[in-house]
PDB file of all heavy atoms in Angstrom:
ATOM      1  N   TYR A  94       0.164  13.930  28.971  1.00 98.00           N
ATOM      2  CA  TYR A  94       1.295  13.048  29.260  1.00 98.00           C
ATOM      3  C   TYR A  94       1.018  12.368  30.600  1.00 98.00           C
ATOM      4  O   TYR A  94       0.590  13.039  31.557  1.00 98.00           O
ATOM      5  CB  TYR A  94       2.591  13.855  29.394  1.00 98.00           C
ATOM      6  CG  TYR A  94       3.225  14.209  28.071  1.00 98.00           C
ATOM      7  CD1 TYR A  94       3.028  15.453  27.500  1.00 98.00           C
ATOM      8  CD2 TYR A  94       4.035  13.300  27.401  1.00 98.00           C
ATOM      9  CE1 TYR A  94       3.613  15.783  26.279  1.00 98.00           C
ATOM     10  CE2 TYR A  94       4.618  13.618  26.189  1.00 98.00           C
ATOM     11  CZ  TYR A  94       4.409  14.856  25.637  1.00 98.00           C
ATOM     12  OH  TYR A  94       4.982  15.171  24.439  1.00 98.00           O
ATOM     13  N   LEU A 123      -0.269  10.422  25.961  1.00 98.00           N
ATOM     14  CA  LEU A 123       0.905  10.476  25.082  1.00 98.00           C
ATOM     15  C   LEU A 123       1.830   9.310  25.425  1.00 98.00           C
ATOM     16  O   LEU A 123       1.636   8.626  26.425  1.00 98.00           O
ATOM     17  CB  LEU A 123       1.533  11.872  25.194  1.00 98.00           C
ATOM     18  CG  LEU A 123       0.693  12.881  24.384  1.00 98.00           C
ATOM     19  CD1 LEU A 123       0.724  14.275  24.957  1.00 98.00           C
ATOM     20  CD2 LEU A 123       1.124  12.878  22.925  1.00 98.00           C
ATOM     21  N   ASP A 134      12.532  11.949  22.577  1.00 97.00           N
ATOM     22  CA  ASP A 134      11.479  12.717  21.907  1.00 97.00           C
ATOM     23  C   ASP A 134      10.131  12.548  22.633  1.00 97.00           C
ATOM     24  O   ASP A 134       9.107  12.288  22.019  1.00 97.00           O
ATOM     25  CB  ASP A 134      11.370  12.273  20.427  1.00 97.00           C
ATOM     26  CG  ASP A 134      10.456  13.182  19.604  1.00 97.00           C
ATOM     27  OD1 ASP A 134      10.163  14.305  20.062  1.00 97.00           O
ATOM     28  OD2 ASP A 134      10.039  12.757  18.509  1.00 97.00           O
ATOM     29  N   PHE A 137       8.452   9.327  21.908  1.00 98.00           N
ATOM     30  CA  PHE A 137       8.187   8.974  20.511  1.00 98.00           C
ATOM     31  C   PHE A 137       9.329   8.156  19.888  1.00 98.00           C
ATOM     32  O   PHE A 137       9.363   7.974  18.680  1.00 98.00           O
ATOM     33  CB  PHE A 137       7.867  10.217  19.680  1.00 98.00           C
ATOM     34  CG  PHE A 137       6.444  10.681  19.855  1.00 98.00           C
ATOM     35  CD1 PHE A 137       6.105  11.653  20.784  1.00 98.00           C
ATOM     36  CD2 PHE A 137       5.421  10.101  19.113  1.00 98.00           C
ATOM     37  CE1 PHE A 137       4.787  12.066  20.955  1.00 98.00           C
ATOM     38  CE2 PHE A 137       4.099  10.499  19.274  1.00 98.00           C
ATOM     39  CZ  PHE A 137       3.780  11.483  20.198  1.00 98.00           C
ATOM     40  N   ALA A 138      10.271   7.697  20.711  1.00 98.00           N
ATOM     41  CA  ALA A 138      11.276   6.738  20.253  1.00 98.00           C
ATOM     42  C   ALA A 138      11.056   5.489  21.094  1.00 98.00           C
ATOM     43  O   ALA A 138      11.498   5.400  22.240  1.00 98.00           O
ATOM     44  CB  ALA A 138      12.674   7.291  20.448  1.00 98.00           C
ATOM     45  N   ASP A 172      -0.722   6.234  21.474  1.00 98.00           N
ATOM     46  CA  ASP A 172       0.034   6.409  20.249  1.00 98.00           C
ATOM     47  C   ASP A 172       0.486   5.052  19.761  1.00 98.00           C
ATOM     48  O   ASP A 172       0.856   4.186  20.562  1.00 98.00           O
ATOM     49  CB  ASP A 172       1.269   7.271  20.525  1.00 98.00           C
ATOM     50  CG  ASP A 172       0.851   8.696  20.791  1.00 98.00           C
ATOM     51  OD1 ASP A 172       0.715   9.439  19.820  1.00 98.00           O
ATOM     52  OD2 ASP A 172       0.629   9.032  21.966  1.00 98.00           O
ATOM     53  N   ILE A 174       3.370   4.271  17.253  1.00 98.00           N
ATOM     54  CA  ILE A 174       4.386   4.970  16.474  1.00 98.00           C
ATOM     55  C   ILE A 174       4.942   3.973  15.475  1.00 98.00           C
ATOM     56  O   ILE A 174       5.768   3.127  15.818  1.00 98.00           O
ATOM     57  CB  ILE A 174       5.444   5.574  17.422  1.00 98.00           C
ATOM     58  CG1 ILE A 174       4.726   6.586  18.328  1.00 98.00           C
ATOM     59  CG2 ILE A 174       6.574   6.258  16.636  1.00 98.00           C
ATOM     60  CD1 ILE A 174       5.256   6.673  19.709  1.00 98.00           C
ATOM     61  N   HIS A 177       8.638   4.762  12.847  1.00 98.00           N
ATOM     62  CA  HIS A 177      10.022   4.568  13.289  1.00 98.00           C
ATOM     63  C   HIS A 177      10.055   3.896  14.650  1.00 98.00           C
ATOM     64  O   HIS A 177       9.058   3.890  15.367  1.00 98.00           O
ATOM     65  CB  HIS A 177      10.757   5.908  13.360  1.00 98.00           C
ATOM     66  CG  HIS A 177       9.931   6.986  14.009  1.00 98.00           C
ATOM     67  ND1 HIS A 177       9.139   7.841  13.289  1.00 98.00           N
ATOM     68  CD2 HIS A 177       9.755   7.338  15.307  1.00 98.00           C
ATOM     69  CE1 HIS A 177       8.518   8.672  14.099  1.00 98.00           C
ATOM     70  NE2 HIS A 177       8.866   8.385  15.337  1.00 98.00           N
ATOM     71  N   VAL A 218      11.743  17.970   9.118  1.00 84.00           N
ATOM     72  CA  VAL A 218      10.784  18.150  10.209  1.00 84.00           C
ATOM     73  C   VAL A 218      11.419  18.961  11.339  1.00 84.00           C
ATOM     74  O   VAL A 218      10.806  19.854  11.904  1.00 84.00           O
ATOM     75  CB  VAL A 218      10.251  16.800  10.740  1.00 84.00           C
ATOM     76  CG1 VAL A 218       9.181  17.047  11.796  1.00 84.00           C
ATOM     77  CG2 VAL A 218       9.662  15.969   9.612  1.00 84.00           C
ATOM     78  N   PHE A 219      12.655  18.643  11.656  1.00 85.00           N
ATOM     79  CA  PHE A 219      13.366  19.384  12.707  1.00 85.00           C
ATOM     80  C   PHE A 219      14.652  19.969  12.122  1.00 85.00           C
ATOM     81  O   PHE A 219      15.753  19.503  12.433  1.00 85.00           O
ATOM     82  CB  PHE A 219      13.726  18.450  13.876  1.00 85.00           C
ATOM     83  CG  PHE A 219      12.548  17.756  14.513  1.00 85.00           C
ATOM     84  CD1 PHE A 219      12.645  16.420  14.917  1.00 85.00           C
ATOM     85  CD2 PHE A 219      11.359  18.426  14.762  1.00 85.00           C
ATOM     86  CE1 PHE A 219      11.571  15.774  15.535  1.00 85.00           C
ATOM     87  CE2 PHE A 219      10.284  17.793  15.374  1.00 85.00           C
ATOM     88  CZ  PHE A 219      10.386  16.465  15.760  1.00 85.00           C
ATOM     89  N   PHE A 241      13.067  11.929  11.652  1.00 96.00           N
ATOM     90  CA  PHE A 241      12.954  12.793  12.826  1.00 96.00           C
ATOM     91  C   PHE A 241      14.321  12.878  13.510  1.00 96.00           C
ATOM     92  O   PHE A 241      15.302  13.185  12.870  1.00 96.00           O
ATOM     93  CB  PHE A 241      11.811  12.282  13.720  1.00 96.00           C
ATOM     94  CG  PHE A 241      10.482  12.321  12.999  1.00 96.00           C
ATOM     95  CD1 PHE A 241      10.010  11.234  12.276  1.00 96.00           C
ATOM     96  CD2 PHE A 241       9.724  13.488  12.994  1.00 96.00           C
ATOM     97  CE1 PHE A 241       8.808  11.298  11.590  1.00 96.00           C
ATOM     98  CE2 PHE A 241       8.512  13.568  12.304  1.00 96.00           C
ATOM     99  CZ  PHE A 241       8.061  12.460  11.601  1.00 96.00           C
ATOM    100  N   TYR A 242      14.399  12.566  14.804  1.00 96.00           N
ATOM    101  CA  TYR A 242      15.707  12.611  15.461  1.00 96.00           C
ATOM    102  C   TYR A 242      16.577  11.438  14.981  1.00 96.00           C
ATOM    103  O   TYR A 242      16.062  10.418  14.508  1.00 96.00           O
ATOM    104  CB  TYR A 242      15.524  12.555  16.980  1.00 96.00           C
ATOM    105  CG  TYR A 242      15.132  13.886  17.592  1.00 96.00           C
ATOM    106  CD1 TYR A 242      13.822  14.137  18.002  1.00 96.00           C
ATOM    107  CD2 TYR A 242      16.078  14.896  17.762  1.00 96.00           C
ATOM    108  CE1 TYR A 242      13.470  15.363  18.559  1.00 96.00           C
ATOM    109  CE2 TYR A 242      15.729  16.127  18.317  1.00 96.00           C
ATOM    110  CZ  TYR A 242      14.427  16.356  18.717  1.00 96.00           C
ATOM    111  OH  TYR A 242      14.084  17.571  19.258  1.00 96.00           O
ATOM    112  N   GLN A 245      15.687   7.925  15.951  1.00 98.00           N
ATOM    113  CA  GLN A 245      14.394   7.362  15.517  1.00 98.00           C
ATOM    114  C   GLN A 245      14.572   6.803  14.110  1.00 98.00           C
ATOM    115  O   GLN A 245      14.629   7.562  13.143  1.00 98.00           O
ATOM    116  CB  GLN A 245      13.301   8.447  15.546  1.00 98.00           C
ATOM    117  CG  GLN A 245      12.903   8.848  16.963  1.00 98.00           C
ATOM    118  CD  GLN A 245      12.146  10.174  17.024  1.00 98.00           C
ATOM    119  OE1 GLN A 245      12.585  11.182  16.490  1.00 98.00           O
ATOM    120  NE2 GLN A 245      11.009  10.178  17.708  1.00 98.00           N
ATOM    121  N   ARG A 275      -3.583   6.288  17.969  1.00 98.00           N
ATOM    122  CA  ARG A 275      -3.146   7.489  17.249  1.00 98.00           C
ATOM    123  C   ARG A 275      -1.945   7.057  16.418  1.00 98.00           C
ATOM    124  O   ARG A 275      -0.866   6.792  16.953  1.00 98.00           O
ATOM    125  CB  ARG A 275      -2.754   8.593  18.231  1.00 98.00           C
ATOM    126  CG  ARG A 275      -2.122   9.826  17.568  1.00 98.00           C
ATOM    127  CD  ARG A 275      -1.577  10.760  18.635  1.00 98.00           C
ATOM    128  NE  ARG A 275      -0.919  11.940  18.120  1.00 98.00           N
ATOM    129  CZ  ARG A 275       0.340  12.003  17.683  1.00 98.00           C
ATOM    130  NH1 ARG A 275       1.099  10.929  17.653  1.00 98.00           N
ATOM    131  NH2 ARG A 275       0.851  13.147  17.290  1.00 98.00           N
ATOM    132  N   ASP A 277       0.978   7.588  14.526  1.00 98.00           N
ATOM    133  CA  ASP A 277       1.893   8.733  14.469  1.00 98.00           C
ATOM    134  C   ASP A 277       2.574   8.845  13.108  1.00 98.00           C
ATOM    135  O   ASP A 277       2.979   7.842  12.520  1.00 98.00           O
ATOM    136  CB  ASP A 277       2.963   8.550  15.565  1.00 98.00           C
ATOM    137  CG  ASP A 277       3.918   9.722  15.650  1.00 98.00           C
ATOM    138  OD1 ASP A 277       3.449  10.827  15.960  1.00 98.00           O
ATOM    139  OD2 ASP A 277       5.126   9.530  15.406  1.00 98.00           O
ATOM    140  N   SER A 278       2.698  10.063  12.628  1.00 97.00           N
ATOM    141  CA  SER A 278       3.500  10.354  11.432  1.00 97.00           C
ATOM    142  C   SER A 278       3.147   9.480  10.231  1.00 97.00           C
ATOM    143  O   SER A 278       4.034   9.035   9.494  1.00 97.00           O
ATOM    144  CB  SER A 278       4.995  10.180  11.748  1.00 97.00           C
ATOM    145  OG  SER A 278       5.351  10.975  12.844  1.00 97.00           O
ATOM    146  N   THR A 279       1.845   9.260  10.026  1.00 98.00           N
ATOM    147  CA  THR A 279       1.412   8.347   8.957  1.00 98.00           C
ATOM    148  C   THR A 279       1.835   8.807   7.564  1.00 98.00           C
ATOM    149  O   THR A 279       1.957   7.986   6.656  1.00 98.00           O
ATOM    150  CB  THR A 279      -0.116   8.219   8.952  1.00 98.00           C
ATOM    151  OG1 THR A 279      -0.660   9.531   8.978  1.00 98.00           O
ATOM    152  CG2 THR A 279      -0.606   7.450  10.147  1.00 98.00           C
ATOM    153  N   ALA A 280       2.039  10.114   7.406  1.00 97.00           N
ATOM    154  CA  ALA A 280       2.341  10.616   6.059  1.00 97.00           C
ATOM    155  C   ALA A 280       3.673  10.100   5.525  1.00 97.00           C
ATOM    156  O   ALA A 280       3.908  10.078   4.322  1.00 97.00           O
ATOM    157  CB  ALA A 280       2.350  12.144   6.070  1.00 97.00           C
ATOM    158  N   PHE A 281       4.541   9.649   6.461  1.00 98.00           N
ATOM    159  CA  PHE A 281       5.928   9.347   6.076  1.00 98.00           C
ATOM    160  C   PHE A 281       6.210   7.871   5.784  1.00 98.00           C
ATOM    161  O   PHE A 281       7.349   7.488   5.597  1.00 98.00           O
ATOM    162  CB  PHE A 281       6.879   9.802   7.192  1.00 98.00           C
ATOM    163  CG  PHE A 281       6.860  11.286   7.442  1.00 98.00           C
ATOM    164  CD1 PHE A 281       5.983  11.845   8.355  1.00 98.00           C
ATOM    165  CD2 PHE A 281       7.731  12.130   6.756  1.00 98.00           C
ATOM    166  CE1 PHE A 281       5.975  13.216   8.592  1.00 98.00           C
ATOM    167  CE2 PHE A 281       7.730  13.502   6.988  1.00 98.00           C
ATOM    168  CZ  PHE A 281       6.852  14.044   7.903  1.00 98.00           C
ATOM    169  N   MET A 291       6.131  11.866   1.269  1.00 96.00           N
ATOM    170  CA  MET A 291       4.981  12.016   2.167  1.00 96.00           C
ATOM    171  C   MET A 291       3.719  11.725   1.366  1.00 96.00           C
ATOM    172  O   MET A 291       3.697  11.919   0.149  1.00 96.00           O
ATOM    173  CB  MET A 291       4.908  13.445   2.716  1.00 96.00           C
ATOM    174  CG  MET A 291       6.029  13.781   3.683  1.00 96.00           C
ATOM    175  SD  MET A 291       5.949  15.511   4.206  1.00 96.00           S
ATOM    176  CE  MET A 291       4.623  15.439   5.414  1.00 96.00           C
ATOM    177  N   GLU A 319      -2.502  10.665  12.376  1.00 98.00           N
ATOM    178  CA  GLU A 319      -1.793  11.904  12.615  1.00 98.00           C
ATOM    179  C   GLU A 319      -0.976  12.168  11.361  1.00 98.00           C
ATOM    180  O   GLU A 319       0.065  11.553  11.141  1.00 98.00           O
ATOM    181  CB  GLU A 319      -0.882  11.815  13.839  1.00 98.00           C
ATOM    182  CG  GLU A 319      -0.389  13.179  14.307  1.00 98.00           C
ATOM    183  CD  GLU A 319       1.086  13.435  14.067  1.00 98.00           C
ATOM    184  OE1 GLU A 319       1.786  12.549  13.542  1.00 98.00           O
ATOM    185  OE2 GLU A 319       1.562  14.523  14.392  1.00 98.00           O
ATOM    186  N   ALA A 320      -1.513  13.047  10.512  1.00 97.00           N
ATOM    187  CA  ALA A 320      -0.803  13.432   9.295  1.00 97.00           C
ATOM    188  C   ALA A 320      -0.893  14.950   9.245  1.00 97.00           C
ATOM    189  O   ALA A 320      -1.964  15.505   9.023  1.00 97.00           O
ATOM    190  CB  ALA A 320      -1.465  12.820   8.073  1.00 97.00           C
ATOM    191  N   ILE A 321       0.216  15.595   9.546  1.00 96.00           N
ATOM    192  CA  ILE A 321       0.213  17.057   9.581  1.00 96.00           C
ATOM    193  C   ILE A 321       0.616  17.518   8.184  1.00 96.00           C
ATOM    194  O   ILE A 321       1.797  17.734   7.894  1.00 96.00           O
ATOM    195  CB  ILE A 321       1.162  17.577  10.691  1.00 96.00           C
ATOM    196  CG1 ILE A 321       0.864  16.867  12.028  1.00 96.00           C
ATOM    197  CG2 ILE A 321       1.050  19.099  10.842  1.00 96.00           C
ATOM    198  CD1 ILE A 321      -0.571  16.961  12.531  1.00 96.00           C
ATOM    199  N   VAL A 322      -0.380  17.604   7.317  1.00 95.00           N
ATOM    200  CA  VAL A 322      -0.144  17.813   5.884  1.00 95.00           C
ATOM    201  C   VAL A 322      -1.136  18.857   5.366  1.00 95.00           C
ATOM    202  O   VAL A 322      -2.136  19.143   6.033  1.00 95.00           O
ATOM    203  CB  VAL A 322      -0.308  16.474   5.119  1.00 95.00           C
ATOM    204  CG1 VAL A 322       0.759  15.474   5.558  1.00 95.00           C
ATOM    205  CG2 VAL A 322      -1.695  15.865   5.329  1.00 95.00           C
ATOM    206  N   HIS A 386       0.664  18.645  22.023  1.00 98.00           N
ATOM    207  CA  HIS A 386       2.028  18.648  22.559  1.00 98.00           C
ATOM    208  C   HIS A 386       3.060  19.132  21.542  1.00 98.00           C
ATOM    209  O   HIS A 386       4.197  19.397  21.887  1.00 98.00           O
ATOM    210  CB  HIS A 386       2.380  17.237  23.035  1.00 98.00           C
ATOM    211  CG  HIS A 386       2.501  16.278  21.883  1.00 98.00           C
ATOM    212  ND1 HIS A 386       1.418  15.893  21.121  1.00 98.00           N
ATOM    213  CD2 HIS A 386       3.572  15.662  21.344  1.00 98.00           C
ATOM    214  CE1 HIS A 386       1.831  15.077  20.170  1.00 98.00           C
ATOM    215  NE2 HIS A 386       3.128  14.916  20.276  1.00 98.00           N
ATOM    216  N   ASP A 387       2.659  19.209  20.259  1.00 97.00           N
ATOM    217  CA  ASP A 387       3.583  19.653  19.216  1.00 97.00           C
ATOM    218  C   ASP A 387       3.428  21.147  18.949  1.00 97.00           C
ATOM    219  O   ASP A 387       2.545  21.798  19.496  1.00 97.00           O
ATOM    220  CB  ASP A 387       3.307  18.889  17.916  1.00 97.00           C
ATOM    221  CG  ASP A 387       3.879  17.472  17.953  1.00 97.00           C
ATOM    222  OD1 ASP A 387       4.900  17.253  18.648  1.00 97.00           O
ATOM    223  OD2 ASP A 387       3.304  16.596  17.284  1.00 97.00           O
ATOM    224  N   ASP A 388       4.258  21.642  18.040  1.00 97.00           N
ATOM    225  CA  ASP A 388       4.124  23.033  17.609  1.00 97.00           C
ATOM    226  C   ASP A 388       2.873  23.190  16.746  1.00 97.00           C
ATOM    227  O   ASP A 388       2.340  22.216  16.219  1.00 97.00           O
ATOM    228  CB  ASP A 388       5.368  23.444  16.805  1.00 97.00           C
ATOM    229  CG  ASP A 388       5.638  22.521  15.633  1.00 97.00           C
ATOM    230  OD1 ASP A 388       5.685  21.293  15.862  1.00 97.00           O
ATOM    231  OD2 ASP A 388       5.781  22.990  14.495  1.00 97.00           O
ATOM    232  N   GLY A 390       1.983  23.940  13.386  1.00 96.00           N
ATOM    233  CA  GLY A 390       2.740  23.986  12.128  1.00 96.00           C
ATOM    234  C   GLY A 390       2.032  24.907  11.143  1.00 96.00           C
ATOM    235  O   GLY A 390       0.852  24.723  10.841  1.00 96.00           O
ATOM    236  N   PHE A 430       9.394  27.880  16.350  1.00 90.00           N
ATOM    237  CA  PHE A 430       9.999  26.553  16.422  1.00 90.00           C
ATOM    238  C   PHE A 430      10.719  26.229  15.121  1.00 90.00           C
ATOM    239  O   PHE A 430      10.127  26.311  14.047  1.00 90.00           O
ATOM    240  CB  PHE A 430       8.904  25.522  16.688  1.00 90.00           C
ATOM    241  CG  PHE A 430       9.392  24.108  16.835  1.00 90.00           C
ATOM    242  CD1 PHE A 430      10.372  23.791  17.757  1.00 90.00           C
ATOM    243  CD2 PHE A 430       8.845  23.083  16.073  1.00 90.00           C
ATOM    244  CE1 PHE A 430      10.811  22.473  17.914  1.00 90.00           C
ATOM    245  CE2 PHE A 430       9.276  21.765  16.226  1.00 90.00           C
ATOM    246  CZ  PHE A 430      10.257  21.464  17.144  1.00 90.00           C
ATOM    247  N   HIS A 439       7.889  28.058  10.354  1.00 87.00           N
ATOM    248  CA  HIS A 439       7.855  26.616  10.515  1.00 87.00           C
ATOM    249  C   HIS A 439       6.696  26.334  11.457  1.00 87.00           C
ATOM    250  O   HIS A 439       5.616  26.004  11.030  1.00 87.00           O
ATOM    251  CB  HIS A 439       9.194  26.107  11.038  1.00 87.00           C
ATOM    252  CG  HIS A 439       9.316  24.616  10.974  1.00 87.00           C
ATOM    253  ND1 HIS A 439       9.784  23.955   9.877  1.00 87.00           N
ATOM    254  CD2 HIS A 439       9.009  23.666  11.874  1.00 87.00           C
ATOM    255  CE1 HIS A 439       9.762  22.652  10.092  1.00 87.00           C
ATOM    256  NE2 HIS A 439       9.294  22.443  11.308  1.00 87.00           N
ATOM    257  N   ARG A 508       9.151  22.678  22.062  1.00 96.00           N
ATOM    258  CA  ARG A 508       7.823  22.092  22.243  1.00 96.00           C
ATOM    259  C   ARG A 508       7.554  21.801  23.713  1.00 96.00           C
ATOM    260  O   ARG A 508       6.411  21.657  24.128  1.00 96.00           O
ATOM    261  CB  ARG A 508       7.677  20.809  21.408  1.00 96.00           C
ATOM    262  CG  ARG A 508       7.566  21.068  19.915  1.00 96.00           C
ATOM    263  CD  ARG A 508       7.456  19.788  19.126  1.00 96.00           C
ATOM    264  NE  ARG A 508       8.647  18.955  19.299  1.00 96.00           N
ATOM    265  CZ  ARG A 508       8.729  17.682  18.900  1.00 96.00           C
ATOM    266  NH1 ARG A 508       7.713  17.096  18.312  1.00 96.00           N
ATOM    267  NH2 ARG A 508       9.843  16.999  19.079  1.00 96.00           N
ATOM    268  N   ARG A 512       4.409  21.560  27.657  1.00 98.00           N
ATOM    269  CA  ARG A 512       4.266  20.240  28.277  1.00 98.00           C
ATOM    270  C   ARG A 512       4.457  20.356  29.780  1.00 98.00           C
ATOM    271  O   ARG A 512       5.371  19.764  30.358  1.00 98.00           O
ATOM    272  CB  ARG A 512       5.274  19.265  27.655  1.00 98.00           C
ATOM    273  CG  ARG A 512       5.050  19.074  26.158  1.00 98.00           C
ATOM    274  CD  ARG A 512       6.173  18.294  25.490  1.00 98.00           C
ATOM    275  NE  ARG A 512       5.943  18.171  24.048  1.00 98.00           N
ATOM    276  CZ  ARG A 512       6.777  17.575  23.208  1.00 98.00           C
ATOM    277  NH1 ARG A 512       7.897  17.032  23.653  1.00 98.00           N
ATOM    278  NH2 ARG A 512       6.502  17.510  21.922  1.00 98.00           N
TER     279      ARG A 512
HETATM  280  C1  OTU B   1       4.788  13.454  15.538  1.00 60.97           C
HETATM  281  O1  OTU B   1       4.826  14.756  15.021  1.00 60.97           O
HETATM  282  C2  OTU B   1       4.648  13.574  17.046  1.00 60.97           C
HETATM  283  O2  OTU B   1       3.432  14.186  17.363  1.00 60.97           O
HETATM  284  C3  OTU B   1       5.834  14.308  17.578  1.00 60.97           C
HETATM  285  O3  OTU B   1       5.715  14.590  18.947  1.00 60.97           O
HETATM  286  C4  OTU B   1       7.052  13.478  17.292  1.00 60.97           C
HETATM  287  O4  OTU B   1       8.192  14.205  17.621  1.00 60.97           O
HETATM  288  C5  OTU B   1       7.152  13.069  15.825  1.00 60.97           C
HETATM  289  O5  OTU B   1       5.920  12.686  15.245  1.00 60.97           O
HETATM  290  C6  OTU B   1       8.072  11.891  15.693  1.00 60.97           C
HETATM  291  O6  OTU B   1       7.493  10.756  16.287  1.00 60.97           O
HETATM  292  O7  OTU B   1       5.533  15.275  11.592  1.00 60.97           O
HETATM  293  O8  OTU B   1       3.119  14.089  11.060  1.00 60.97           O
HETATM  294  O9  OTU B   1       6.538  19.514  13.588  1.00 60.97           O
HETATM  295  O10 OTU B   1       4.198  18.146  14.134  1.00 60.97           O
HETATM  296  O11 OTU B   1       7.069  16.021  14.254  1.00 60.97           O
HETATM  297  C7  OTU B   1       3.938  13.803  12.126  1.00 60.97           C
HETATM  298  C8  OTU B   1       6.478  18.728  14.715  1.00 60.97           C
HETATM  299  C9  OTU B   1       4.852  14.845  12.465  1.00 60.97           C
HETATM  300  C10 OTU B   1       5.407  17.672  14.638  1.00 60.97           C
HETATM  301  C11 OTU B   1       5.868  16.513  13.800  1.00 60.97           C
HETATM  302  C12 OTU B   1       4.843  15.402  13.813  1.00 60.97           C
END
Side-chain angles (χ1 to χ4, degrees):
Y94 279 98
L123 283 149
D134 189 17
F137 280 94
D172 289 273
I174 298 146
H177 44 267
V218 184
F219 302 140
F241 299 91
Y242 281 104
Q245 289 163 309
R275 173 189 178 278
D277 183 63
S278 305
T279 50
F281 297 90
M291 291 176 78
E319 194 250 359
I321 310 304
V322 296
H386 68 292
D387 283 331
D388 55 308
F430 182 55
H439 191 88
R508 288 179 298 169
R512 299 171 182 178

